[in-house]
Amino acid sequence: MTDPLRIERTGRIQTWTIDVPDAANAITGSDFIAAFDDAVDAANAATDVSVVILTGAGRFFSAGGNVRDMRDRTGVFGLEPLDQRHGYVSGIQRIPRALQRLEVPVIAAVNGAAIGAGCDLAAMCDIRIASETAFFAESFVQLGLIPGDGGSWFLPRAIGWARAAEMTFTGDRVDAATALSWGLVSEVVSDAELLPAAQRLAERIAKNPVPAVRMAKRLLLESRTASLDSTLALAAAMQPLAHQDPEHHRRVANLIR
């Protein structure tokens, strides 16, 4: 049995590959959720890690929920309503919470279908690059469901209310070119170029001092919901820490030689 989330490291860059081949890279299994949680905590603890690339094995980025389990009503899908509510909180909803506490930027390298919770997972990432054959579908309503994983919070912040509403209410596919024009992804490349392009972007991030990158990410995340005054206060508290970083001193000295 393969690990549901394979982790590789090159320098300051980690690559996380969703690898659940028997379920189109579904992310609702307890093994995957636990592995994802652990990966976030390990990346935070590794203070020399700068950035994560998240991608999928094979032709799927992620199909989201395990439709076979839904059909058979197994796992969380077989529970009574009150237990199922708890199952969502202690299950799939751990993923957006984990990403919110991840200190380093995450680049989604969307290599194929990103469906349902897989689409939402991409929207949870800080930056998204797609291959030409990738597509996105907020397809919950087509199965008589709603986004139970936080997609209704993340998707409008990625592409605006109207586009998110269109995707959510129709469940229709959005191809890579459309995703680019809507701002859901920042770049579309050939299938073969996807991981190299993600790696190049990750290297542009990783060349910067790790503490500054991590604090800058936290500041951006907090600014989503904080007032200007609160954001300025957090920046004022963080900046003195950055000023004490020896790498900051070295780089400033190099600028004025």
Side-chain angles (χ1 to χ4, degrees), residues 122-123 125-130 136 154-160 163 167 174-188:
C125 296
D126 301 302
I127 306 169
R128 290 162 293 278
I129 299 175
F136 302 82
F154 288 97
L155 194 59
R157 285 166 170 77
I159 59 173
R163 296 300 192 191
M167 290 185 69
V174 172
D175 62 25
T178 303
L180 179 64
S181 70
W182 287 5
L184 183 55
V185 301
S186 55
E187 186 177 4
V188 175

Side-chain angles (χ1 to χ4, degrees), residues 209-213 215-216 234-250 252:
V210 177
V213 171
M215 287 191 288
L234 181 59
M238 285 181 166
Q239 194 75 304
L241 299 176
H243 277 299
Q244 299 308 309
D245 185 356
E247 183 64 14
H248 160 68
H249 299 160
R250 185 185 69 80
V252 169

Side-chain angles (χ1 to χ4, degrees), residues 43 65 141 153 234:
V141 292
W153 194 91
L234 181 59

Side-chain angles (χ1 to χ4, degrees), residues 107-199:
I107 302 167
V110 184
N111 54 297
I115 303 170
C119 177
D120 291 340
L121 178 61
M124 294 173 199
C125 296
D126 301 302
I127 306 169
R128 290 162 293 278
I129 299 175
S131 70
E132 292 172 333
T133 57
F135 68 86
F136 302 82
E138 189 75 346
S139 55
F140 296 95
V141 292
Q142 294 188 352
L143 296 179
L145 298 172
I146 61 168
D149 58 350
S152 59
W153 194 91
F154 288 97
L155 194 59
R157 285 166 170 77
I159 59 173
W161 171 268
R163 296 300 192 191
E166 181 177 342
M167 290 185 69
T168 301
F169 299 153
T170 66
D172 290 344
R173 293 184 179 188
V174 172
D175 62 25
T178 303
L180 179 64
S181 70
W182 287 5
L184 183 55
V185 301
S186 55
E187 186 177 4
V188 175
V189 297
S190 68
D191 292 6
E193 184 62 14
L194 179 63
L195 285 180
Q199 184 74 21

Side-chain angles (χ1 to χ4, degrees), residues 75-99:
V76 69
F77 307 114
L79 299 175
E80 293 298 317
L82 291 177
D83 292 329
Q84 196 171 66
R85 175 183 178 275
H86 177 73
Y88 269 86
V89 172
S90 62
I92 185 68
Q93 290 184 357
R94 287 166 60 187
I95 291 177
R97 290 190 174 97
L99 281 174

Side-chain angles (χ1 to χ4, degrees), residues 225-242:
T225 55
S227 66
L228 174 60
D229 284 344
S230 295
T231 302
L232 290 172
L234 181 59
M238 285 181 166
Q239 194 75 304
L241 299 176

Side-chain angles (χ1 to χ4, degrees), residues 211-223:
V213 171
R214 291 189 176 210
M215 287 191 288
K217 172 167 179 177
R218 178 50 50 192
L219 197 60
L220 282 174
L221 286 176
E222 295 299 329
S223 71

